[in-house]
Amino acid sequence: MAAGRVWAWGPLNNAPARDGICRMTDACLSGSEGTLLCGGGVPDGAHYEKGFFYEPTVVADLPDDSELLNTEVFGPVLPVISADSLDDAIRIANSTRYGLGASVWTRDIKTAMTASSQLDAGVVWVNQHLRLPPRMCRLGGMKASGTGRENGSGAFEPYLRSKTVLVKA
């Protein structure tokens, strides 16, 4: 990897997904909203001619009404938000209308458990993100992210019909 080069993750599902991310980050690139810390574009080169790639991107200083903070982006864009305390961080995280997943990064197990119990998210990872063991309990979100459940044996329940039969001999 060349020094200073950000390699792309991807590809995204389709052109509209990539183009939506481009549109959302354009305000950061132009300097009219937030601060672009790294990434922020479609990578150049023969490796990326086919597919819908977008560079891993980190942005900061976004206004509360930013689309990047109020949309499920589903792409390699990480908005960084400062908080003054754990309570403030939980308030900020819970202020979105979405709740698919959250990550807590801490060395203090009490902080991890407090945050996990108060975050409105279907999955909370502690000191990791997006690890989904196959036998994990159901994966699903809360609020506007609450449609559908995946993973684990409990994911089969919506597809099954159960019946109870009581027989007195």
PDB file of all heavy atoms in Angstrom, residues 86 103-116 119 124-128:
ATOM      1  N   LEU A  86     -20.682  10.446  29.118  1.00  0.00           N
ATOM      2  CA  LEU A  86     -21.360   9.230  28.679  1.00  0.00           C
ATOM      3  C   LEU A  86     -22.845   9.507  28.455  1.00  0.00           C
ATOM      4  O   LEU A  86     -23.412   9.087  27.454  1.00  0.00           O
ATOM      5  CB  LEU A  86     -21.166   8.103  29.695  1.00  0.00           C
ATOM      6  CG  LEU A  86     -21.887   6.795  29.375  1.00  0.00           C
ATOM      7  CD1 LEU A  86     -21.417   6.225  28.037  1.00  0.00           C
ATOM      8  CD2 LEU A  86     -21.674   5.782  30.491  1.00  0.00           C
ATOM      9  N   SER A 103     -21.788   0.833  18.602  1.00  0.00           N
ATOM     10  CA  SER A 103     -20.520   0.335  19.150  1.00  0.00           C
ATOM     11  C   SER A 103     -20.134   1.177  20.346  1.00  0.00           C
ATOM     12  O   SER A 103     -20.276   2.396  20.321  1.00  0.00           O
ATOM     13  CB  SER A 103     -19.392   0.435  18.118  1.00  0.00           C
ATOM     14  OG  SER A 103     -19.629  -0.419  17.046  1.00  0.00           O
ATOM     15  N   VAL A 104     -19.647   0.517  21.382  1.00  0.00           N
ATOM     16  CA  VAL A 104     -19.131   1.193  22.570  1.00  0.00           C
ATOM     17  C   VAL A 104     -17.669   0.807  22.690  1.00  0.00           C
ATOM     18  O   VAL A 104     -17.335  -0.384  22.675  1.00  0.00           O
ATOM     19  CB  VAL A 104     -19.898   0.749  23.841  1.00  0.00           C
ATOM     20  CG1 VAL A 104     -19.300   1.377  25.088  1.00  0.00           C
ATOM     21  CG2 VAL A 104     -21.384   1.067  23.707  1.00  0.00           C
ATOM     22  N   TRP A 105     -16.808   1.796  22.782  1.00  0.00           N
ATOM     23  CA  TRP A 105     -15.368   1.545  22.886  1.00  0.00           C
ATOM     24  C   TRP A 105     -14.903   2.075  24.237  1.00  0.00           C
ATOM     25  O   TRP A 105     -14.945   3.274  24.497  1.00  0.00           O
ATOM     26  CB  TRP A 105     -14.626   2.230  21.734  1.00  0.00           C
ATOM     27  CG  TRP A 105     -15.069   1.688  20.413  1.00  0.00           C
ATOM     28  CD1 TRP A 105     -16.152   2.089  19.679  1.00  0.00           C
ATOM     29  CD2 TRP A 105     -14.489   0.601  19.704  1.00  0.00           C
ATOM     30  NE1 TRP A 105     -16.266   1.317  18.549  1.00  0.00           N
ATOM     31  CE2 TRP A 105     -15.248   0.402  18.530  1.00  0.00           C
ATOM     32  CE3 TRP A 105     -13.388  -0.223  19.936  1.00  0.00           C
ATOM     33  CZ2 TRP A 105     -14.954  -0.580  17.601  1.00  0.00           C
ATOM     34  CZ3 TRP A 105     -13.093  -1.192  18.992  1.00  0.00           C
ATOM     35  CH2 TRP A 105     -13.872  -1.368  17.842  1.00  0.00           C
ATOM     36  N   THR A 106     -14.501   1.167  25.124  1.00  0.00           N
ATOM     37  CA  THR A 106     -14.097   1.562  26.471  1.00  0.00           C
ATOM     38  C   THR A 106     -13.260   0.458  27.103  1.00  0.00           C
ATOM     39  O   THR A 106     -13.340  -0.696  26.700  1.00  0.00           O
ATOM     40  CB  THR A 106     -15.332   1.850  27.356  1.00  0.00           C
ATOM     41  OG1 THR A 106     -14.898   2.259  28.652  1.00  0.00           O
ATOM     42  CG2 THR A 106     -16.235   0.626  27.485  1.00  0.00           C
ATOM     43  N   ARG A 107     -12.492   0.820  28.120  1.00  0.00           N
ATOM     44  CA  ARG A 107     -11.752  -0.168  28.912  1.00  0.00           C
ATOM     45  C   ARG A 107     -12.494  -0.500  30.206  1.00  0.00           C
ATOM     46  O   ARG A 107     -12.085  -1.373  30.946  1.00  0.00           O
ATOM     47  CB  ARG A 107     -10.364   0.368  29.259  1.00  0.00           C
ATOM     48  CG  ARG A 107      -9.486   0.488  28.050  1.00  0.00           C
ATOM     49  CD  ARG A 107      -8.103   0.948  28.430  1.00  0.00           C
ATOM     50  NE  ARG A 107      -7.289   1.005  27.238  1.00  0.00           N
ATOM     51  CZ  ARG A 107      -6.263   1.790  27.080  1.00  0.00           C
ATOM     52  NH1 ARG A 107      -5.902   2.602  28.047  1.00  0.00           N
ATOM     53  NH2 ARG A 107      -5.581   1.779  25.962  1.00  0.00           N
ATOM     54  N   ASP A 108     -13.588   0.205  30.450  1.00  0.00           N
ATOM     55  CA  ASP A 108     -14.335   0.078  31.701  1.00  0.00           C
ATOM     56  C   ASP A 108     -15.609  -0.737  31.458  1.00  0.00           C
ATOM     57  O   ASP A 108     -16.520  -0.301  30.758  1.00  0.00           O
ATOM     58  CB  ASP A 108     -14.680   1.482  32.212  1.00  0.00           C
ATOM     59  CG  ASP A 108     -15.414   1.487  33.534  1.00  0.00           C
ATOM     60  OD1 ASP A 108     -15.867   0.415  33.996  1.00  0.00           O
ATOM     61  OD2 ASP A 108     -15.554   2.573  34.110  1.00  0.00           O
ATOM     62  N   ILE A 109     -15.683  -1.924  32.036  1.00  0.00           N
ATOM     63  CA  ILE A 109     -16.832  -2.804  31.808  1.00  0.00           C
ATOM     64  C   ILE A 109     -18.128  -2.183  32.325  1.00  0.00           C
ATOM     65  O   ILE A 109     -19.191  -2.366  31.738  1.00  0.00           O
ATOM     66  CB  ILE A 109     -16.597  -4.224  32.406  1.00  0.00           C
ATOM     67  CG1 ILE A 109     -17.679  -5.200  31.923  1.00  0.00           C
ATOM     68  CG2 ILE A 109     -16.550  -4.179  33.916  1.00  0.00           C
ATOM     69  CD1 ILE A 109     -17.633  -5.487  30.457  1.00  0.00           C
ATOM     70  N   LYS A 110     -18.052  -1.415  33.420  1.00  0.00           N
ATOM     71  CA  LYS A 110     -19.258  -0.755  33.943  1.00  0.00           C
ATOM     72  C   LYS A 110     -19.788   0.250  32.917  1.00  0.00           C
ATOM     73  O   LYS A 110     -20.994   0.308  32.677  1.00  0.00           O
ATOM     74  CB  LYS A 110     -18.954  -0.053  35.268  1.00  0.00           C
ATOM     75  CG  LYS A 110     -20.175   0.567  35.888  1.00  0.00           C
ATOM     76  CD  LYS A 110     -19.874   1.200  37.228  1.00  0.00           C
ATOM     77  CE  LYS A 110     -21.127   1.869  37.771  1.00  0.00           C
ATOM     78  NZ  LYS A 110     -20.872   2.649  38.961  1.00  0.00           N
ATOM     79  N   THR A 111     -18.902   1.012  32.294  1.00  0.00           N
ATOM     80  CA  THR A 111     -19.312   1.951  31.243  1.00  0.00           C
ATOM     81  C   THR A 111     -19.935   1.193  30.084  1.00  0.00           C
ATOM     82  O   THR A 111     -20.969   1.594  29.542  1.00  0.00           O
ATOM     83  CB  THR A 111     -18.106   2.776  30.759  1.00  0.00           C
ATOM     84  OG1 THR A 111     -17.604   3.541  31.858  1.00  0.00           O
ATOM     85  CG2 THR A 111     -18.479   3.700  29.617  1.00  0.00           C
ATOM     86  N   ALA A 112     -19.325   0.087  29.685  1.00  0.00           N
ATOM     87  CA  ALA A 112     -19.846  -0.721  28.575  1.00  0.00           C
ATOM     88  C   ALA A 112     -21.253  -1.219  28.881  1.00  0.00           C
ATOM     89  O   ALA A 112     -22.143  -1.150  28.019  1.00  0.00           O
ATOM     90  CB  ALA A 112     -18.914  -1.894  28.303  1.00  0.00           C
ATOM     91  N   MET A 113     -21.474  -1.719  30.071  1.00  0.00           N
ATOM     92  CA  MET A 113     -22.782  -2.274  30.421  1.00  0.00           C
ATOM     93  C   MET A 113     -23.833  -1.168  30.576  1.00  0.00           C
ATOM     94  O   MET A 113     -24.982  -1.343  30.167  1.00  0.00           O
ATOM     95  CB  MET A 113     -22.687  -3.126  31.690  1.00  0.00           C
ATOM     96  CG  MET A 113     -21.737  -4.318  31.557  1.00  0.00           C
ATOM     97  SD  MET A 113     -21.834  -5.254  30.004  1.00  0.00           S
ATOM     98  CE  MET A 113     -23.497  -5.847  30.032  1.00  0.00           C
ATOM     99  N   THR A 114     -23.446  -0.033  31.134  1.00  0.00           N
ATOM    100  CA  THR A 114     -24.373   1.096  31.255  1.00  0.00           C
ATOM    101  C   THR A 114     -24.799   1.567  29.875  1.00  0.00           C
ATOM    102  O   THR A 114     -25.994   1.738  29.598  1.00  0.00           O
ATOM    103  CB  THR A 114     -23.722   2.256  32.041  1.00  0.00           C
ATOM    104  OG1 THR A 114     -23.431   1.809  33.364  1.00  0.00           O
ATOM    105  CG2 THR A 114     -24.628   3.469  32.097  1.00  0.00           C
ATOM    106  N   ALA A 115     -23.829   1.789  29.003  1.00  0.00           N
ATOM    107  CA  ALA A 115     -24.145   2.257  27.652  1.00  0.00           C
ATOM    108  C   ALA A 115     -24.978   1.228  26.906  1.00  0.00           C
ATOM    109  O   ALA A 115     -25.974   1.578  26.259  1.00  0.00           O
ATOM    110  CB  ALA A 115     -22.861   2.568  26.887  1.00  0.00           C
ATOM    111  N   SER A 116     -24.613  -0.045  26.991  1.00  0.00           N
ATOM    112  CA  SER A 116     -25.343  -1.105  26.282  1.00  0.00           C
ATOM    113  C   SER A 116     -26.809  -1.147  26.682  1.00  0.00           C
ATOM    114  O   SER A 116     -27.683  -1.340  25.844  1.00  0.00           O
ATOM    115  CB  SER A 116     -24.704  -2.466  26.547  1.00  0.00           C
ATOM    116  OG  SER A 116     -23.407  -2.501  26.043  1.00  0.00           O
ATOM    117  N   LEU A 119     -28.609   2.273  25.204  1.00  0.00           N
ATOM    118  CA  LEU A 119     -28.633   2.576  23.778  1.00  0.00           C
ATOM    119  C   LEU A 119     -29.827   1.911  23.099  1.00  0.00           C
ATOM    120  O   LEU A 119     -30.095   0.729  23.320  1.00  0.00           O
ATOM    121  CB  LEU A 119     -27.334   2.113  23.111  1.00  0.00           C
ATOM    122  CG  LEU A 119     -26.123   2.987  23.396  1.00  0.00           C
ATOM    123  CD1 LEU A 119     -24.836   2.274  23.015  1.00  0.00           C
ATOM    124  CD2 LEU A 119     -26.243   4.331  22.678  1.00  0.00           C
ATOM    125  N   VAL A 124     -25.548  -4.154  20.182  1.00  0.00           N
ATOM    126  CA  VAL A 124     -24.504  -3.271  20.708  1.00  0.00           C
ATOM    127  C   VAL A 124     -23.226  -4.091  20.792  1.00  0.00           C
ATOM    128  O   VAL A 124     -23.181  -5.130  21.436  1.00  0.00           O
ATOM    129  CB  VAL A 124     -24.866  -2.698  22.094  1.00  0.00           C
ATOM    130  CG1 VAL A 124     -23.729  -1.831  22.618  1.00  0.00           C
ATOM    131  CG2 VAL A 124     -26.167  -1.901  22.032  1.00  0.00           C
ATOM    132  N   TRP A 125     -22.209  -3.638  20.083  1.00  0.00           N
ATOM    133  CA  TRP A 125     -20.896  -4.269  20.134  1.00  0.00           C
ATOM    134  C   TRP A 125     -20.051  -3.497  21.135  1.00  0.00           C
ATOM    135  O   TRP A 125     -20.135  -2.274  21.217  1.00  0.00           O
ATOM    136  CB  TRP A 125     -20.203  -4.200  18.777  1.00  0.00           C
ATOM    137  CG  TRP A 125     -20.797  -5.064  17.721  1.00  0.00           C
ATOM    138  CD1 TRP A 125     -20.480  -6.368  17.472  1.00  0.00           C
ATOM    139  CD2 TRP A 125     -21.762  -4.709  16.730  1.00  0.00           C
ATOM    140  NE1 TRP A 125     -21.195  -6.835  16.401  1.00  0.00           N
ATOM    141  CE2 TRP A 125     -21.988  -5.838  15.922  1.00  0.00           C
ATOM    142  CE3 TRP A 125     -22.466  -3.527  16.448  1.00  0.00           C
ATOM    143  CZ2 TRP A 125     -22.883  -5.830  14.856  1.00  0.00           C
ATOM    144  CZ3 TRP A 125     -23.351  -3.519  15.391  1.00  0.00           C
ATOM    145  CH2 TRP A 125     -23.558  -4.657  14.613  1.00  0.00           C
ATOM    146  N   VAL A 126     -19.230  -4.198  21.900  1.00  0.00           N
ATOM    147  CA  VAL A 126     -18.292  -3.552  22.824  1.00  0.00           C
ATOM    148  C   VAL A 126     -16.880  -3.856  22.348  1.00  0.00           C
ATOM    149  O   VAL A 126     -16.493  -5.023  22.205  1.00  0.00           O
ATOM    150  CB  VAL A 126     -18.507  -4.025  24.286  1.00  0.00           C
ATOM    151  CG1 VAL A 126     -17.468  -3.401  25.211  1.00  0.00           C
ATOM    152  CG2 VAL A 126     -19.928  -3.679  24.740  1.00  0.00           C
ATOM    153  N   ASN A 127     -16.134  -2.801  22.075  1.00  0.00           N
ATOM    154  CA  ASN A 127     -14.742  -2.880  21.603  1.00  0.00           C
ATOM    155  C   ASN A 127     -14.598  -3.689  20.319  1.00  0.00           C
ATOM    156  O   ASN A 127     -13.587  -4.348  20.088  1.00  0.00           O
ATOM    157  CB  ASN A 127     -13.814  -3.414  22.695  1.00  0.00           C
ATOM    158  CG  ASN A 127     -13.793  -2.503  23.897  1.00  0.00           C
ATOM    159  OD1 ASN A 127     -13.990  -1.297  23.778  1.00  0.00           O
ATOM    160  ND2 ASN A 127     -13.577  -3.071  25.058  1.00  0.00           N
ATOM    161  N   GLN A 128     -15.599  -3.647  19.473  1.00  0.00           N
ATOM    162  CA  GLN A 128     -15.598  -4.301  18.169  1.00  0.00           C
ATOM    163  C   GLN A 128     -16.781  -3.748  17.393  1.00  0.00           C
ATOM    164  O   GLN A 128     -17.619  -3.035  17.939  1.00  0.00           O
ATOM    165  CB  GLN A 128     -15.711  -5.815  18.311  1.00  0.00           C
ATOM    166  CG  GLN A 128     -16.962  -6.264  19.046  1.00  0.00           C
ATOM    167  CD  GLN A 128     -16.991  -7.758  19.258  1.00  0.00           C
ATOM    168  OE1 GLN A 128     -16.525  -8.520  18.424  1.00  0.00           O
ATOM    169  NE2 GLN A 128     -17.548  -8.192  20.374  1.00  0.00           N
TER     170      GLN A 128
END
